[in-house]
Amino acid sequence: MISRRFIPLLATIVTCASLQTVAPVTHAQDQPPGQPQSKRPIRVEVPLFEGGQGLEFFIECARTYEQEHEGVVIDLYGDPRIHDKVRVRILERSFPEVTNARLNYWALIRNGDLLPLDEFLDLPNWEGDRTWRESFLPGTLTQYTHEGKTYGVPLMASAYAVWYNKSLFEEHGWQPATTWEEFFALCEEIKAAGMWPLAFQGRYPGYVQAVIDHAYYHLAGPERYFDQKNLVRGSFDNPEFVESLSLAQRIALNFFQPGAMGMSHTESQLEFFLGHTAMIFCGSWLKSEMLGKIPDGFRLGSFNLPVAPTGKADPSAVYGGSGYYFVMKDSDNPLAGVEFLRFMTSRRMAGRFARMRDIPVSVAGVSEENLSEDMADLAAMLKDAAVTYGTPPGEGYPAMTQYWTDARFRVITGQTTPAEAAAELEASAAVVLRQTESPDEINIRHVWKPVLLIGLMGLAVAYWSATTYRRYRERRRAGISTTEGRPFLRRTDRIILIAPALVLYTVFVIIPSAKSFLWSLNEWDGLTEMRFTGLLNFGRLLFESDGFWIALNNNLFIMFVIPLFVIPISLFLAVCISREIWGSRFFRIAFFFPNILGAVAATLLWMHLYNPQGGPINTALVGIGVILSAAGLETAGSWLQAMEGFAWLSQSNLYWALIPMSIWGACGFNMILFLAAMESIPQSLYEAADIDGASSWRQFWTITLPLIWEVLSISIVFMVIGGMKVFESIWLLTNQSPTTQVHVIGTLMVQDMFTEFKIGEATAIAVLLFIMVFFGTAATLRLMRRETVEF
């Protein structure tokens, strides 16, 4: 086994970027009340995903367990981005006791890192009236079963449904639908009443997967449905799947609220609860996720996803699953982790969870007694279901994730036909199977692009090396010492001064970077043994991967297009303030203010501004359009009024929405750089130019710009580096699920590493990024360097 003592540079970069996107972490108390200080407590670490079920119940459960079990501390914490943190912990081989973070659990099972729970499942449950295994609803323990052993236990029972506003339905006499034709007729009735039928979490396109899967499960039958998940040939390109995609597309294009594709899950769900739409597709966590935001008196109802009359499955079948928890075998106290899980899934605590969060649970005999009236329809639906289905047991093919993300988005936005999407997914499945069966094979799809990139990088290296050598020779011929004018230091003194920084830099940068370079030459999922593959990862990225080149093009857009706006505006602002126009001191602070905010806070602010329904930007544009129309400018006014409900943050419009964000965020910093350089220019030069009759424009081009050229070069380099390293804004604005068309190099790297578990390929991306940034910026600086003349 290769040593994993150091986290590679890639994991460090990804972790730092990801941690900027997380909400504050909520920790349980480290010491239970009354714990004797002399006795070292047993610590059980439980990092959890903070989603629709929240953390309140789990913290209460941890405190209750500590009170009833002296000497045990449950270190329970969580946040919405816990997955990234735990994944890096796994790479370090530093395991928590219990977690439900989204990991590659099948690789952990194969590697022996998860604790089999069968020994404990066959013992009495917490109440002692049956075995722990018998405490769960039938079939819920099969999801993570491998070679006869069970590795995960559930708590929450998730089920997808169509949620509706009961009061609106009763007021208009609308009835829940059971078939798709009834559903479409219902949507038409709702539209005729002047209301949009469906809110949709458009920045989470995966919510429509339930509709596609449910339709295909019933049209094709359970066996062919599970064949599709296992990529059996012909399971995508067939009439039943095309019809399933057609249903999803018809719903999206005709019945989604305007701007839905630019809304987050909470924004769209709030639109539903505020009565702006009549229905929404969501899981059983809907009410729990929106607690505190639901208006008083709102009555919630639900019905099962519709089916086709000619379906080949039980019409009562429910699309859903469970939230699973796992015990890490190599953690410090795995048996204590099992005991906490037994307590958490007891009828007492499961009932408490169901009452607190109003979510059904996978513990038998609990949901019926503890759910509110709002969840009565869902509880009845689950009780009457002959079968609950969802993701089939087994590892599946993580590499299909990106293909599914792309196909779903294009279908529901009308960018492709259902037949084309089905054919594309069939071809993608064939590619994934080929790569799985022949991992060392490369299908060459790109030739001139990698040749051009390698050639440009070679030219950059050659140019930088040649100019560096030329400058060195010129300085030697001129007799200029590189240390001239500097204080003399003995060699021992220099070593003493440099050594501490050099040691730290070596340990935390050079060694992890070297390991990243080594990892890029291997195939590795982060858990099992590495397999040396040489330059295979680089070859696959450069010559086969469409996604890499699309991501690089998007980086180039950010690197070149955005500076075309930012640099001139920053220069203009700096010139205005340097000339001390009225209010210059105030504007100096105001323009720099966005840089005080973190990248995450700024992105969240713009997410609110870009809200399609009631966001300030759309509201302002529509208001201006009304004014222009009233003033007789009908064309311009109509164009602006059409911006009502415009989905700025839809992945189709994302990069143009980035331009105002970047201008607002980057102009202040660059303005300060230019302003500092301008204020160092002797005022006598401008006075002499005034005497000679030079205009302000002439003075800018002949005095200001040449004398701030070095700073301008640095600013451009910063923009180039920022364009290549961009990550947070794309990752946040796409809710960690970017389509191939909006990926940048950074998000593609994270996708490969943490979703598809291709650590070797992800580090190869990091190496290519390093080479492009390092030599690209070095060559840019050298190209923009101007020789100074000494008088």
PDB file of all heavy atoms in Angstrom, residues 27 87 132 203 247 367 427 453 496 584 654 667 756 773:
ATOM      1  N   HIS A  27     -21.642  21.865  16.383  1.00  0.00           N
ATOM      2  CA  HIS A  27     -21.027  20.781  17.133  1.00  0.00           C
ATOM      3  C   HIS A  27     -21.820  20.481  18.394  1.00  0.00           C
ATOM      4  O   HIS A  27     -22.343  21.366  19.053  1.00  0.00           O
ATOM      5  CB  HIS A  27     -19.596  21.153  17.561  1.00  0.00           C
ATOM      6  CG  HIS A  27     -18.599  20.912  16.482  1.00  0.00           C
ATOM      7  ND1 HIS A  27     -17.937  19.724  16.321  1.00  0.00           N
ATOM      8  CD2 HIS A  27     -18.170  21.716  15.488  1.00  0.00           C
ATOM      9  CE1 HIS A  27     -17.119  19.798  15.295  1.00  0.00           C
ATOM     10  NE2 HIS A  27     -17.246  21.009  14.773  1.00  0.00           N
ATOM     11  N   ARG A  87     -14.781  13.156   2.782  1.00  0.00           N
ATOM     12  CA  ARG A  87     -14.022  12.511   1.708  1.00  0.00           C
ATOM     13  C   ARG A  87     -12.530  12.708   1.890  1.00  0.00           C
ATOM     14  O   ARG A  87     -11.732  11.778   1.676  1.00  0.00           O
ATOM     15  CB  ARG A  87     -14.474  13.066   0.358  1.00  0.00           C
ATOM     16  CG  ARG A  87     -15.842  12.562  -0.091  1.00  0.00           C
ATOM     17  CD  ARG A  87     -16.388  13.407  -1.201  1.00  0.00           C
ATOM     18  NE  ARG A  87     -17.733  13.008  -1.587  1.00  0.00           N
ATOM     19  CZ  ARG A  87     -18.565  13.748  -2.294  1.00  0.00           C
ATOM     20  NH1 ARG A  87     -18.178  14.946  -2.696  1.00  0.00           N
ATOM     21  NH2 ARG A  87     -19.765  13.318  -2.605  1.00  0.00           N
ATOM     22  N   TRP A 132     -32.870  -6.435  16.058  1.00  0.00           N
ATOM     23  CA  TRP A 132     -32.667  -5.107  15.463  1.00  0.00           C
ATOM     24  C   TRP A 132     -33.026  -5.141  13.976  1.00  0.00           C
ATOM     25  O   TRP A 132     -33.623  -4.210  13.451  1.00  0.00           O
ATOM     26  CB  TRP A 132     -31.214  -4.680  15.654  1.00  0.00           C
ATOM     27  CG  TRP A 132     -30.926  -3.238  15.331  1.00  0.00           C
ATOM     28  CD1 TRP A 132     -31.816  -2.212  15.299  1.00  0.00           C
ATOM     29  CD2 TRP A 132     -29.656  -2.676  14.977  1.00  0.00           C
ATOM     30  NE1 TRP A 132     -31.196  -1.035  14.955  1.00  0.00           N
ATOM     31  CE2 TRP A 132     -29.850  -1.289  14.758  1.00  0.00           C
ATOM     32  CE3 TRP A 132     -28.379  -3.192  14.855  1.00  0.00           C
ATOM     33  CZ2 TRP A 132     -28.817  -0.439  14.408  1.00  0.00           C
ATOM     34  CZ3 TRP A 132     -27.337  -2.344  14.513  1.00  0.00           C
ATOM     35  CH2 TRP A 132     -27.557  -0.977  14.291  1.00  0.00           C
ATOM     36  N   ARG A 203     -32.167  24.749 -10.313  1.00  0.00           N
ATOM     37  CA  ARG A 203     -30.720  24.677 -10.148  1.00  0.00           C
ATOM     38  C   ARG A 203     -30.305  23.349  -9.525  1.00  0.00           C
ATOM     39  O   ARG A 203     -29.114  23.104  -9.310  1.00  0.00           O
ATOM     40  CB  ARG A 203     -30.229  25.866  -9.324  1.00  0.00           C
ATOM     41  CG  ARG A 203     -30.338  27.135 -10.149  1.00  0.00           C
ATOM     42  CD  ARG A 203     -29.746  28.386  -9.623  1.00  0.00           C
ATOM     43  NE  ARG A 203     -28.793  28.272  -8.567  1.00  0.00           N
ATOM     44  CZ  ARG A 203     -28.956  28.869  -7.381  1.00  0.00           C
ATOM     45  NH1 ARG A 203     -30.046  29.576  -7.115  1.00  0.00           N
ATOM     46  NH2 ARG A 203     -28.029  28.766  -6.462  1.00  0.00           N
ATOM     47  N   LEU A 247     -42.385  12.763 -21.368  1.00  0.00           N
ATOM     48  CA  LEU A 247     -43.262  13.210 -20.287  1.00  0.00           C
ATOM     49  C   LEU A 247     -42.593  14.305 -19.465  1.00  0.00           C
ATOM     50  O   LEU A 247     -43.201  15.334 -19.149  1.00  0.00           O
ATOM     51  CB  LEU A 247     -43.630  12.029 -19.391  1.00  0.00           C
ATOM     52  CG  LEU A 247     -44.560  10.969 -19.984  1.00  0.00           C
ATOM     53  CD1 LEU A 247     -44.629   9.747 -19.064  1.00  0.00           C
ATOM     54  CD2 LEU A 247     -45.956  11.538 -20.195  1.00  0.00           C
ATOM     55  N   SER A 367     -44.051   5.599  11.963  1.00  0.00           N
ATOM     56  CA  SER A 367     -44.548   6.741  11.188  1.00  0.00           C
ATOM     57  C   SER A 367     -46.028   6.991  11.407  1.00  0.00           C
ATOM     58  O   SER A 367     -46.469   8.144  11.556  1.00  0.00           O
ATOM     59  CB  SER A 367     -44.270   6.513   9.696  1.00  0.00           C
ATOM     60  OG  SER A 367     -42.889   6.436   9.446  1.00  0.00           O
ATOM     61  N   ALA A 427     -25.196   5.790 -26.066  1.00  0.00           N
ATOM     62  CA  ALA A 427     -23.795   5.866 -26.489  1.00  0.00           C
ATOM     63  C   ALA A 427     -22.877   6.110 -25.293  1.00  0.00           C
ATOM     64  O   ALA A 427     -21.780   5.541 -25.202  1.00  0.00           O
ATOM     65  CB  ALA A 427     -23.629   6.976 -27.528  1.00  0.00           C
ATOM     66  N   LEU A 453      -2.405  23.022 -27.813  1.00  0.00           N
ATOM     67  CA  LEU A 453      -2.132  23.345 -26.409  1.00  0.00           C
ATOM     68  C   LEU A 453      -0.698  23.015 -26.038  1.00  0.00           C
ATOM     69  O   LEU A 453       0.009  23.833 -25.422  1.00  0.00           O
ATOM     70  CB  LEU A 453      -3.108  22.591 -25.502  1.00  0.00           C
ATOM     71  CG  LEU A 453      -2.904  22.795 -23.992  1.00  0.00           C
ATOM     72  CD1 LEU A 453      -3.139  24.248 -23.597  1.00  0.00           C
ATOM     73  CD2 LEU A 453      -3.827  21.874 -23.195  1.00  0.00           C
ATOM     74  N   ILE A 496      20.169  30.467   8.047  1.00  0.00           N
ATOM     75  CA  ILE A 496      19.327  30.566   9.250  1.00  0.00           C
ATOM     76  C   ILE A 496      18.029  31.285   8.949  1.00  0.00           C
ATOM     77  O   ILE A 496      16.958  30.914   9.435  1.00  0.00           O
ATOM     78  CB  ILE A 496      20.106  31.284  10.370  1.00  0.00           C
ATOM     79  CG1 ILE A 496      21.273  30.406  10.848  1.00  0.00           C
ATOM     80  CG2 ILE A 496      19.181  31.633  11.535  1.00  0.00           C
ATOM     81  CD1 ILE A 496      22.188  31.087  11.836  1.00  0.00           C
ATOM     82  N   SER A 584     -14.992  61.477  -4.204  1.00  0.00           N
ATOM     83  CA  SER A 584     -14.002  60.456  -4.529  1.00  0.00           C
ATOM     84  C   SER A 584     -13.642  59.590  -3.324  1.00  0.00           C
ATOM     85  O   SER A 584     -13.414  58.385  -3.470  1.00  0.00           O
ATOM     86  CB  SER A 584     -12.744  61.106  -5.111  1.00  0.00           C
ATOM     87  OG  SER A 584     -12.172  62.013  -4.180  1.00  0.00           O
ATOM     88  N   LEU A 654     -25.587  31.122 -17.495  1.00  0.00           N
ATOM     89  CA  LEU A 654     -24.730  31.370 -16.334  1.00  0.00           C
ATOM     90  C   LEU A 654     -23.544  32.275 -16.646  1.00  0.00           C
ATOM     91  O   LEU A 654     -23.242  33.203 -15.884  1.00  0.00           O
ATOM     92  CB  LEU A 654     -24.253  30.029 -15.769  1.00  0.00           C
ATOM     93  CG  LEU A 654     -23.426  30.115 -14.492  1.00  0.00           C
ATOM     94  CD1 LEU A 654     -24.231  30.729 -13.366  1.00  0.00           C
ATOM     95  CD2 LEU A 654     -22.930  28.735 -14.085  1.00  0.00           C
ATOM     96  N   CYS A 667     -13.626  45.010  -9.844  1.00  0.00           N
ATOM     97  CA  CYS A 667     -13.227  46.380 -10.191  1.00  0.00           C
ATOM     98  C   CYS A 667     -12.600  47.117  -9.017  1.00  0.00           C
ATOM     99  O   CYS A 667     -11.643  47.877  -9.193  1.00  0.00           O
ATOM    100  CB  CYS A 667     -14.429  47.159 -10.724  1.00  0.00           C
ATOM    101  SG  CYS A 667     -14.769  46.836 -12.467  1.00  0.00           S
ATOM    102  N   GLU A 756     -16.984  10.866  -9.245  1.00  0.00           N
ATOM    103  CA  GLU A 756     -16.662   9.676 -10.031  1.00  0.00           C
ATOM    104  C   GLU A 756     -15.491   8.901  -9.448  1.00  0.00           C
ATOM    105  O   GLU A 756     -15.148   7.828  -9.952  1.00  0.00           O
ATOM    106  CB  GLU A 756     -16.369  10.086 -11.475  1.00  0.00           C
ATOM    107  CG  GLU A 756     -17.563  10.785 -12.132  1.00  0.00           C
ATOM    108  CD  GLU A 756     -17.320  11.156 -13.577  1.00  0.00           C
ATOM    109  OE1 GLU A 756     -16.331  10.650 -14.166  1.00  0.00           O
ATOM    110  OE2 GLU A 756     -18.107  11.940 -14.135  1.00  0.00           O
ATOM    111  N   VAL A 773      -1.071  27.508 -15.784  1.00  0.00           N
ATOM    112  CA  VAL A 773      -1.036  28.753 -15.012  1.00  0.00           C
ATOM    113  C   VAL A 773       0.388  29.253 -14.843  1.00  0.00           C
ATOM    114  O   VAL A 773       0.682  30.441 -15.057  1.00  0.00           O
ATOM    115  CB  VAL A 773      -1.717  28.552 -13.641  1.00  0.00           C
ATOM    116  CG1 VAL A 773      -1.475  29.771 -12.750  1.00  0.00           C
ATOM    117  CG2 VAL A 773      -3.204  28.326 -13.810  1.00  0.00           C
TER     118      VAL A 773
END
